[in-house]
């Protein structure tokens, strides 16, 4: 499905019946990373799976921000699940967006699942690196970011076919969308002060081989969010829904069942 937000065309999929769950993918990936969760969850949940602006099949704009992504997602929820607060699932950059979503649209959130993400902002050196990469991507294309990330995204044991598939998806992401996201990530605020304000049920998940947002970051989230649960997934890197879909789905289902019983 497609909607226009401020004239920009955004793509999203809806699967299944039940209470809404919104899935926010990481950078520079797409909603396809959540495909393995559709079958396990569709009988009891309505899965809403957008491509963020500038990713997948959504249109790119030369500028974006965590606030813009969050507001885009509210427009998607308005279209796909207008009357009920949703469970919000964010992986990595999806988690950065989930924090902003929480600050801006708290009433729309029933619960949070934060996967392979961190609360802190970039260091000044990290910001410089992102901006340089954005320039290179605009000059040489998205293969630059695919080459930079492919070695870090997955645990070493991942199937070569998965690695190849995601290298291709990253390479095919719009350079304008990638550069805008790099600027948006570099400019994101420190979400550490938000953690103490989170009062919805929260599950934190991380792959034990994640080298981009390692388990120590998940432990900080767990310590900062009162009553949160932490699950460490064996054998996964930065993208457990793709690498270890059964283990990831099991953690998510256990958490979702606990929501239904409250
Ligand atoms: C992501 O997976 O969304 C990115 O690796 C996040 C980041 O680079 O900080």
């Amino acid at each position: 499905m497609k909607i226009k937000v401020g004239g920009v065309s955004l793509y999203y999929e809806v699967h299944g019946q039940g209470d809404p769950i919104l899935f926010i993918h990481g950078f520079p990936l797409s909603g396809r990373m959540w495909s393995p969760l559709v079958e396990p969850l569709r009988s009891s949940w309505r899965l809403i799976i957008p491509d963020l602006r500038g990713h997948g099949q959504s249109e790119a704009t030369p500028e974006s921000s965590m606030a813009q992504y969050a507001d885009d997602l509210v427009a998607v929820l308005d279209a796909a699940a207008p009357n009920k607060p949703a469970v919000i699932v964010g992986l990595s950059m999806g988690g950065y967006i989930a924090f902003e979503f929480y600050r801006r649209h708290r009433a729309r959130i029933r619960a949070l699942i934060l996967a392979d993400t961190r609360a802190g902002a970039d260091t000044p050196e990290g910001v410089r690196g992102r901006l340089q990469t954005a320039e290179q991507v605009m000059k040489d294309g998205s293969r630059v970011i695919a080459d930079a990330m492919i070695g870090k995204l997955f645990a070493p044991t991942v199937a070569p076919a998965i690695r190849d598939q995601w290298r291709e998806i990253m390479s095919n992401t719009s350079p304008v969308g990638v550069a805008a996201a790099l600027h948006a990530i570099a400019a994101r605020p420190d979400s550490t002060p938000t953690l103490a304000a989170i009062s919805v049920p929260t599950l934190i998940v991380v792959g034990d081989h994640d080298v981009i947002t390692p388990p120590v970051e998940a432990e900080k989230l767990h310590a900062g969010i009162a009553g949160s649960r932490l699950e460490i997934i064996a054998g996964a890197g930065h993208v457990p829904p793709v690498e270890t879909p059964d283990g990831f789905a099991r953690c998510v289902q256990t958490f979702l069942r606990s929501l239904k019983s409250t």
Side-chain angles (χ1 to χ4, degrees):
M1 270 173 259
K2 289 206 166 174
I3 50 162
K4 291 252 183 193
V5 178
V8 177
S9 168
L10 300 179
Y11 175 84
Y12 66 98
E13 294 185 2
V14 178
H15 301 274
Q17 306 283 338
D19 290 346
I21 312 192
L22 175 74
F23 289 88
I24 317 175
H25 63 76
F27 164 85
L29 309 177
S30 79
R32 275 174 72 177
M33 60 160 284
W34 302 111
S35 304
L37 294 185
V38 171
E39 276 321 305
L41 297 182
R42 66 180 306 151
S43 59
S44 347
W45 293 85
R46 181 168 170 81
L47 289 80
I48 302 158
I49 307 182
D51 287 342
L52 293 168
R53 70 167 60 204
H55 296 73
Q57 299 181 60
S58 289
E59 198 179 335
T61 51
E63 286 185 12
S64 195
S65 62
M66 294 302 135
Q68 180 68 64
Y69 293 127
D71 291 355
D72 286 350
L73 295 174
V74 164
V76 170
L77 278 185
D78 284 343
N83 300 320
K84 277 205 156 178
V87 179
I88 307 286
V89 188
L91 183 134
S92 199
M93 179 172 81
Y96 311 158
I97 297 167
F99 291 129
E100 191 63 38
F101 196 109
Y102 194 91
R103 291 188 286 268
R104 296 169 79 81
H105 307 291
R106 160 74 183 82
R108 308 298 294 264
I109 303 183
R110 175 177 181 190
L112 280 173
I113 300 178
L114 300 169
D116 300 81
T117 191
R118 57 155 52 86
D122 283 356
T123 60
E125 192 193 344
V127 167
R128 275 195 297 280
R130 300 244 198 226
L131 303 187
Q132 273 166 12
T133 308
E135 263 181 50
Q136 270 180 313
V137 166
M138 287 307 289
K139 195 152 68 73
D140 298 325
S142 295
R143 196 156 284 279
V144 169
I145 196 75
D147 289 347
M149 289 195 69
I150 196 66
K152 294 186 281 187
L153 216 46
F154 302 120
T157 47
V158 75
I162 291 183
R163 194 184 295 272
D164 291 348
Q165 180 193 20
W166 283 95
R167 183 197 280 274
E168 203 53 29
I169 290 172
M170 290 192 285
S171 299
N172 288 333
T173 302
S174 148
V176 172
V178 169
L182 284 164
H183 280 265
I185 295 172
R188 78 190 189 281
D190 181 3
S191 290
T192 309
T194 302
L195 302 183
I198 293 178
S199 59
V200 295
T202 300
L203 170 67
I204 296 150
V205 189
V206 66
D208 64 347
H209 283 73
D210 186 345
V211 294
I212 298 179
T213 48
V216 65
E217 294 295 340
E219 277 156 20
K220 286 191 223 166
L221 297 178
H222 181 43
I225 303 176
S228 59
R229 300 184 190 187
L230 172 62
E231 295 283 352
I232 299 183
I233 304 205
H238 188 57
V239 201
V242 168
E243 298 171 80
T244 51
D246 294 346
F248 187 83
R250 256 196 312 276
C251 288
V252 167
Q253 276 175 312
T254 304
F255 176 70
L256 293 176
R257 268 197 294 271
S258 75
L259 296 180
K260 292 238 168 173
S261 62
T262 53

